[in-house]
Amino acid sequence: MTAPPAGARTLDESRSKALLADYGVPIAAERVVADAVGAVDAARALGGRVVVKLCGDAIAHKTERGLVRLGVEGDGAVAAAATELLAAARPDDGEVAILVAEMVSGSRELIAGLHRDPQFGATVMLGVGGILAEAVRDVAFRMAPLDELDAHEMIDDLATQRLLGPFRGEPAVDRAALVGVMLGLARLAAERPDVVAVDINPLIVVGGAPVAVDALVELAPDATS
Amino acid sequence: MSSAHLRPEHFRALFDPRGVVVAGAATHPGKFGFVSLHNLLASGYEGRVAGTNLRGESVLGIDTVASIDDLPADQYDLVFVCTPAAANPEVLRSAAAKGIKAAFVTSAGYGEAGEQGAAAQAELVALGSELDLLIAGPNGQGVVSTPSQLCAQIVAPYPPAGSIGIASQSGNFVSSFQNWALFTGVGVSRAVSAGNAAMVTVADYLDHYAEDPHTRVGLAYVESIVDGRAFAERARAITERMPLVVVKGGATEGGAAAAASHTGALAADDRVFDGVCRQVGVTRATTVEEAFEAAATFATQPLPRGPRTVVLTTAGGWGVVTADAIAAGDLELIELPDDLAEAIDGHLPPRWSRSNPVDLAGGETRDTIPTVLELIAAHDQVDAVVYLGLGIQSNQARMMREGRFYPDHGLERIVDYHQRQDARFATAAAEISTRTGKPILTATELSVADPTNAGPAAVRASARLCYGSANRAVTALEHLWRHARWRQRRGLDG
């Protein structure tokens, strides 16, 4: 993955998700903390296994840099993960924090996003997500604004329809909820001209319902947020 | 409209002119000014034809004049411009003074020719607006309009009359589509090569076609879309009125160039254009033949009301491959309804498939195929039929006819019978389709391998397309169903 173009700015994961939540995108519960002590408190509050990530405006693709620890459980493990991640920060990452999130799981990972096309303007995307998204390239685009029918047809456009039905003991994907995500992205495109791109990847299907587990909002170079 | 002054009468002047002036008519058979005049005269255009030529030479029996100024007023509607770019302002002024409303400019040296050319093109458009002229091109290959038997183009061929309206950013694509029309017999209403599309764009022509009683479907080639949003809006306004098949050259620019996001990277490869087409009801095809066959199917078959498809075949293997093709896409290979199977039982020996594909397994007698085709198409759970196996017997008949035993040993009689039967089946397919209002697509490679075969020849005579393979028929039918579904879901058929 390439770095953001010079001058472009990205919101950190937590702020990206907060913005998307305002537009109706379901987000896994999470806390942003400064250090290992805060991480332990956050993990206790969330309960169970958690995800620990390094988070910062200039950090775009955490997985590629090994800045995501999945399924961390217990005070010691959480504290160790937070300490290691903070130590992995580079000077050019700027201000960083630790994000502790509820560990959601599902076999299916989708991707959704917003892209401002040079010819067709704001477009909304839905596809098969996860780390293989760009290799698989099973995606559908529509121009924003789009209506519910368009969003349903995007779901139908995906080649991997089997992924959307009942799958490995999990129920079929809640299409209405998926439509909600796409309509939310379209609304965001209209109301926030300063947002040039959004990635929600993965959008994990948890018991049929899509939940954004990572997200990146890219802002126009001259915008302030 | 790219140019505010354009009205329907300008398009009528282009497509149905009372008279045509070829400006720059030439005596050399290699020059545009000769070829265009030749094509115009050779294709049966019945309006007035005049030519200009600086030396006043006679070209192909037309006594040219030195200038349009020397022609009578209000007798010509279209000037076909083959003069060098520098001469064109004067040509256009003279034309407008004689009441001409449309100009097709073939001349190069405009937008495609650097900064100076771009300036000349801007001046050309401004002059056209000032003179109340429609200017097609420049740098285009011409215009065809079969209702007026007009073939004002510098390329071949002149296609048969039909209801496909072609507009293209590349003149050679017009030629390609017209060659397919000539080969298949599924004809063209209007065709235009937009050239540099300085004043009139592909979308403008298509918009005109959507209001044209001679045109049922638009067929377009586009490569550079400057304003995608505007294109999408125009396309949607067209697809609400008629199906529109588009081939696009060149991937969407810039999508991936500066993309930091996965979404941006995934927007490359033309995915955005693909989604836009689906959103606005455009039928997108990837190849020339797929595009032509989709358009030809829109032009000659009723739209299916649903995806439920039945395959009728006289031989097993073809049916299996066709079933696979149907199952792979948006069409539905239905289970054969019990009452339909029972109805067919009465007409076939027990070895027939009793499933979909309906495989007659060689059990047919004289009237089986038309009868079974009618039973299938008339059934209320069937939306479309693909018919395979036409022409087999005529293929054998050809071998007999060309063999050394003909016409003895009863060969003449059997050859006649087979050919009559195949012709009958083809005609029945078209008639039953019309009667039931459902598409029936006939496919056999004989339409390509031996177009004179009585089967494909009769499909052609019935004004339908005989598909070169079942897969191609399925692809075309799927395009029809997708468009029909797009209309249905948006309440456009109420």
Side-chain angles (χ1 to χ4, degrees):
Chain A
M1 204 61 224
T2 51
R9 299 190 317 112
T10 52
L11 292 184
D12 74 21
E13 177 180 340
S14 174
R15 289 160 76 206
S16 292
K17 285 177 176 170
L19 175 61
L20 291 168
D22 287 345
Y23 287 88
V25 176
I27 306 289
E30 65 181 34
R31 308 270 172 99
V32 178
V33 297
D35 53 27
V37 175
V40 169
D41 287 346
R44 283 182 183 163
L46 291 165
R49 300 197 305 159
V50 295
V51 184
V52 185
K53 308 180 189 184
L54 188 69
C55 181
D57 278 348
I59 302 175
H61 298 292
K62 290 179 282 291
T63 307
E64 290 86 336
R65 283 183 52 193
L67 301 179
V68 179
R69 302 293 158 86
L70 299 174
V72 185
E73 198 169 11
D75 292 354
V78 170
T83 306
E84 282 165 28
L85 289 173
L86 286 167
R90 298 170 186 160
D92 58 0
D93 287 339
E95 212 170 296
V96 295
I98 292 292
L99 190 151
V100 183
E102 166 194 11
M103 176 84 195
V104 301
S105 61
S107 318
R108 292 166 289 185
E109 297 189 337
L110 303 176
I111 182 171
L114 163 66
H115 163 70
R116 295 196 187 269
D117 185 83
Q119 290 172 313
F120 292 97
T123 60
V124 172
M125 185 195 76
L126 174 71
V128 174
I131 55 171
L132 299 179
E134 283 187 44
V136 174
R137 305 189 86 81
D138 184 6
V139 293
F141 282 87
R142 291 292 186 275
M143 292 179 294
L146 70 164
D147 58 24
E148 236 173 272
L149 179 55
D150 293 321
H152 275 286
E153 288 181 342
M154 288 175 77
I155 301 173
D156 292 340
D157 273 4
L158 298 183
T160 322
Q161 286 294 313
R162 259 179 218 168
L163 216 50
L164 304 171
F167 186 79
R168 296 173 71 99
E170 297 171 26
V173 172
D174 179 346
R175 289 189 175 229
L178 217 43
V179 165
V181 170
M182 287 179 276
L183 294 182
L185 286 170
R187 204 155 52 80
L188 189 152
E191 293 174 7
R192 290 290 302 265
D194 58 317
V195 171
V196 297
V198 174
D199 273 341
I200 305 173
N201 188 31
L203 181 66
I204 294 188
V205 180
V206 184
V211 177
V213 167
D214 195 1
L216 177 68
V217 171
E218 190 186 328
L219 301 175
D222 54 350
T224 52
S225 59
Chain B
M1 201 65 49
S2 306
S3 205
H5 73 281
L6 294 179
R7 299 182 301 278
E9 65 180 276
H10 290 100
F11 287 92
R12 280 198 296 274
L14 178 69
F15 290 111
D16 300 303
R18 288 169 301 166
V20 181
V21 181
V22 175
T27 52
H28 190 292
K31 292 199 164 180
F32 291 170
F34 180 96
V35 176
S36 54
L37 187 59
H38 171 272
N39 290 351
L40 183 62
L41 294 170
S43 302
Y45 176 64
E46 286 174 346
R48 285 188 187 79
V49 176
T52 71
N53 170 303
L54 288 177
R55 291 187 291 276
E57 295 161 310
S58 171
V59 185
L60 292 165
I62 300 289
D63 292 324
T64 63
V65 292
S67 160
I68 293 175
D69 298 340
D70 303 330
L71 292 170
D74 297 323
Q75 305 214 343
Y76 303 92
D77 293 318
L78 170 66
V79 59
F80 195 83
V81 182
C82 299
T83 42
N88 290 346
E90 196 191 320
V91 168
L92 296 177
R93 284 186 188 284
S94 302
K98 296 295 179 182
I100 286 174
K101 285 277 176 241
F104 194 102
V105 181
T106 63
S107 325
Y110 288 99
E112 81 290 356
E115 220 170 279
Q116 214 175 338
Q121 183 161 307
E123 282 167 28
L124 184 77
V125 172
L127 182 63
S129 302
E130 176 199 324
L131 298 173
D132 193 30
L133 276 176
L134 177 155
I135 295 181
N139 194 28
Q141 297 192 348
V143 55
V144 160
S145 174
T146 56
S148 289
Q149 289 181 267
L150 177 77
C151 180
Q153 58 175 355
I154 55 174
V155 288
Y158 180 62
S163 59
I164 301 175
I166 300 168
S168 172
Q169 278 186 345
S170 154
N172 291 313
F173 266 85
V174 178
S175 243
S176 294
F177 291 139
Q178 293 185 152
N179 281 326
W180 280 106
L182 197 59
F183 175 65
T184 61
V186 179
V188 169
S189 54
R190 329 279 189 178
V192 65
S193 142
N196 295 355
M199 178 189 286
V200 193
T201 64
V202 165
D204 293 330
Y205 295 116
L206 293 169
D207 200 61
H208 175 71
Y209 296 163
E211 293 300 312
D212 173 20
H214 295 282
T215 303
R216 273 185 72 177
V217 53
L219 174 57
Y221 172 77
V222 295
E223 55 194 25
S224 56
I225 295 175
V226 182
D227 182 346
R229 277 285 156 149
F231 176 86
E233 275 166 33
R234 297 290 303 276
R236 162 90 201 219
I238 291 161
T239 52
E240 285 180 2
R241 290 173 288 165
M242 71 172 180
L244 171 58
V245 182
V246 170
V247 184
K248 182 175 172 292
T252 310
E253 286 164 29
S261 66
H262 290 287
T263 307
L266 287 162
D269 286 356
D270 237 12
R271 298 298 174 100
V272 172
F273 186 69
D274 220 51
V276 169
C277 286
R278 285 169 183 247
Q279 195 169 7
V280 301
V282 164
T283 298
R284 187 179 187 197
T286 46
T287 64
V288 173
E289 55 271 31
E290 182 191 343
F292 179 81
E293 288 176 1
T297 309
F298 278 117
T300 58
Q301 298 275 358
L303 277 187
R305 285 183 285 271
R308 301 167 301 179
T309 307
V310 170
V311 180
L312 173 64
T313 177
T314 56
W318 293 332
V320 176
V321 169
T322 311
D324 290 345
I326 289 170
D330 289 354
L331 296 170
E332 184 192 338
L333 185 80
I334 57 162
E335 272 185 45
L336 206 62
D338 288 342
D339 61 330
L340 179 53
E342 280 161 27
I344 296 173
D345 273 337
H347 301 275
L348 282 169
R351 68 172 181 275
W352 78 280
S353 67
R354 298 201 97 254
S355 61
N356 184 15
V358 174
D359 178 1
L360 303 181
E364 62 270 27
T365 54
R366 189 180 173 281
D367 296 318
T368 310
I369 288 175
T371 306
V372 172
L373 205 48
E374 175 95 47
L375 287 171
I376 295 169
H379 197 278
D380 62 5
Q381 286 168 42
V382 176
D383 298 310
V385 183
V386 177
Y387 165 42
L388 312 173
L390 180 72
I392 301 181
Q393 299 297 356
S394 295
N395 205 28
Q396 176 56 43
R398 177 183 174 176
M399 202 153 171
M400 289 173 168
R401 205 175 60 228
E402 293 174 352
R404 65 192 167 91
F405 298 103
Y406 189 82
D408 303 329
H409 311 280
L411 290 177
E412 186 170 23
R413 206 179 128 262
I414 194 75
V415 163
D416 281 355
Y417 173 74
H418 284 326
Q419 293 179 345
R420 234 177 15 250
Q421 282 290 85
D422 275 322
R424 234 184 108 214
F425 301 160
T427 307
E431 285 172 0
I432 294 165
S433 165
T434 303
R435 196 156 54 236
T436 57
K438 297 176 185 178
I440 300 180
L441 283 68
T442 303
T444 165
E445 73 287 348
L446 288 164
S447 68
V448 184
D450 181 12
T452 66
N453 180 296
V459 175
R460 185 189 173 107
S462 75
R464 302 268 173 141
L465 180 63
C466 191
Y467 302 81
S469 73
N471 293 73
R472 284 159 72 168
V474 169
T475 299
L477 182 59
E478 193 174 3
H479 280 311
L480 257 64
W481 163 234
R482 283 183 177 173
H483 185 66
R485 184 177 61 188
W486 183 84
R487 296 188 64 83
Q488 284 175 10
R489 286 176 174 170
R490 286 156 182 83
L492 293 169
D493 293 324

